Amino acid sequence: DCQMNVLGIDSAVKGIAAVELPSSKYFWLPKEKTFDETLVRFHQWCQQFIPDAVYLEDVTYVRNYAATLKMAKIVGAVQVAFLENKLAVFTVNNMIWKRAVIGDGKATKEDIINFVKASEYFSIPDKDLTDDIADAACLSLFGYLRMHK
């Protein structure tokens, strides 16, 4: 039974969080001064990973139209970076992964952080366990469990 490496990514307007399984390595890349620089930097940053699959949270409506549009551009830039390297990229609606991993499609940020803390799949120190890292961890677990069925 071969071990598959899965990368879960949560793209936020303030940066990108990524968690890899089975290694439980985690990464945070903060945004740059301008939005264009951020897109380019995210694109370059994604090139360092060669997982078997990438699970990326799909765009969700945030606050307002302008913020949602920015979010969509970030998710698109991340998606293209991995697709260029011929990697399998799956976008997942947040209610879908929350239901599959946590057991509740409307799980709160607190529920998600508590789940990651209690899970034997992860060893992320509390000081580093932000909302975004926790979401990325759950996305990686969502993908990992799907690929190891």
Side-chain angles (χ1 to χ4, degrees), residues 15-125:
I16 289 184
V19 177
E20 195 175 51
L21 277 177
S23 72
S24 187
K25 283 191 201 135
Y26 59 95
F27 311 86
W28 170 252
L29 183 73
K31 73 178 176 108
E32 300 293 325
K33 282 190 266 322
T34 71
F35 188 68
D36 286 354
E37 285 173 326
T38 298
L39 289 181
V40 170
R41 180 88 173 84
F42 284 179
H43 183 271
Q44 291 166 337
W45 182 77
C46 292
Q47 308 287 326
Q48 71 180 296
F49 298 102
I50 309 167
D52 295 297
V54 178
Y55 283 80
L56 178 62
E57 186 173 271
D58 211 346
V59 183
T60 48
Y61 182 81
V62 283
R63 294 186 309 284
N64 57 50
Y65 178 73
T68 304
L69 191 59
K70 253 186 183 166
M71 198 65 215
K73 288 177 180 176
I74 290 168
V75 170
V78 171
Q79 206 170 356
V80 167
F82 288 112
L83 290 170
E84 270 183 352
N85 288 344
K86 310 219 177 339
L87 297 172
V89 181
F90 303 95
T91 53
V92 189
N93 174 288
N94 70 352
M95 289 181 79
I96 301 283
W97 70 254
K98 285 177 184 179
R99 192 178 313 117
V101 174
I102 313 282
D104 175 6
K106 292 187 165 74
T108 64
K109 292 180 184 313
E110 196 181 1
D111 295 335
I112 295 163
I113 286 176
N114 289 335
F115 173 85
V116 173
K117 280 182 185 174
S119 171
E120 74 268 18
Y121 287 98
F122 306 107
S123 49
I124 301 168

